[in-house]
Amino acid sequence: MLRWIIPAIFAGILALLPALPLAWVAPHFVSSDVEALAPDMRFSGTIWNGRVTGLPYIQSANFNLSPLSRVADIEAGNGRNYIAGRMRASEATNVKLRADLASFPFTDGRLQGLQGDITATLDEVSYDKAGCLSATGRARTDVLQRNGGSIQWTGPELNGPLRCEDGALIADLSGEDAQQSVSALIRLVPDGSYRADITVRTSRAEADAVLPLFGFSRVGQDFKLTEQGRWR
């Protein structure tokens, strides 16, 4: 008799799994760091088709999990800030991201009220516990074009490739117009720190008055700035 009953019990449990509420399961797997970042986080739906609300900046996220292929399709955002892609345990593909800088509460007074956005597409990115292993994609930002009225200086749109280096995600951006060229090497480290090395070469007269206000130093024909801090 037991040889029939036990398989029947397991079959019944497996049949119920797709309807298991996410709110029952997810809180047991959320780390304290995540709870601190999103104290109002709430879960709804099931463990296969769920929704998370109360997330900072993006507000909510929907996901569809395929247990056999171990793939999760994720769409998150509120229009101003969003991220979407296909996620696996150690890889993500077809990732699209947008961040509206005006929606972020920068503590640095030089950055408060900044306009513009950052967009990125990642065809693929692989990672492990130590950080980023490899990445193929591109990023762009119009922040230098959008803030001429507030900082009395405009620059070109920046774009360039994304890659991984020593666990960090690297954006190697550049752009130019008729009077100037700008390059920005931005390093995002898994521990939450970042470094940005920016070089501006310009013939515009107002640059000498404006760029030093934002921390740039003149080095020969160039203005250079290195910023370090935390991105989360």
Side-chain angles (χ1 to χ4, degrees):
M1 179 70 70
L2 287 177
R3 68 176 181 173
W4 300 106
I5 294 176
I6 292 176
I9 291 173
F10 277 110
I13 293 173
L14 291 175
L16 289 173
L17 279 178
L20 193 63
L22 181 65
W24 292 4
V25 178
H28 299 289
F29 294 91
V30 175
S31 69
S32 58
D33 290 340
V34 173
E35 288 181 339
L37 289 171
D40 299 322
M41 185 167 48
R42 297 291 181 271
F43 304 95
S44 60
T46 69
I47 60 173
W48 307 132
N49 294 281
R51 179 177 175 84
V52 185
T53 58
L55 299 173
Y57 308 119
I58 59 174
Q59 295 182 354
S60 64
N62 299 302
F63 71 87
N64 186 298
L65 176 64
S66 175
L68 295 180
S69 59
R70 299 179 182 178
V71 171
D73 290 312
I74 297 174
E75 292 185 3
N78 58 8
R80 299 176 69 189
N81 301 298
Y82 69 81
I83 185 170
R86 172 159 288 190
M87 317 294 286
R88 293 179 174 85
S90 59
E91 182 187 52
T93 56
N94 300 321
V95 178
K96 295 179 174 59
L97 176 145
R98 178 179 186 267
D100 180 0
L101 296 178
S103 68
F104 287 78
F106 292 109
T107 56
D108 188 333
R110 298 172 301 171
L111 304 180
Q112 291 175 0
L114 204 62
Q115 301 296 312
D117 60 47
I118 298 171
T119 60
T121 58
L122 280 161
D123 300 321
E124 66 83 23
V125 56
S126 60
Y127 43 82
D128 61 13
K129 292 181 179 179
C132 184
L133 299 176
S134 66
T136 302
R138 294 190 69 83
R140 61 157 290 280
T141 180
D142 62 357
V143 65
L144 297 182
Q145 295 174 308
R146 295 276 301 278
N147 294 277
S150 58
I151 66 173
Q152 287 76 54
W153 178 78
T154 58
E157 178 181 291
L158 303 181
N159 65 80
L162 298 168
R163 69 176 191 274
C164 294
E165 185 178 286
D166 298 328
L169 181 64
I170 308 294
D172 193 353
L173 309 180
S174 62
E176 61 181 28
D177 57 29
Q179 295 178 297
Q180 54 206 349
S181 63
V182 180
S183 64
L185 188 68
I186 303 170
R187 175 185 294 266
L188 301 177
V189 185
D191 66 6
S193 63
Y194 76 88
R195 175 181 170 126
D197 293 288
I198 305 169
T199 300
V200 177
R201 176 168 290 191
T202 178
S203 60
R204 297 182 61 169
E206 66 269 28
D208 278 298
V210 174
L211 292 181
L213 298 177
F214 288 83
F216 284 85
S217 299
R218 181 178 272 282
V219 181
Q221 294 181 305
D222 300 332
F223 291 90
K224 292 184 176 290
L225 171 68
T226 296
E227 283 279 350
Q228 300 184 78
R230 302 196 64 80
W231 59 270
R232 66 172 173 85

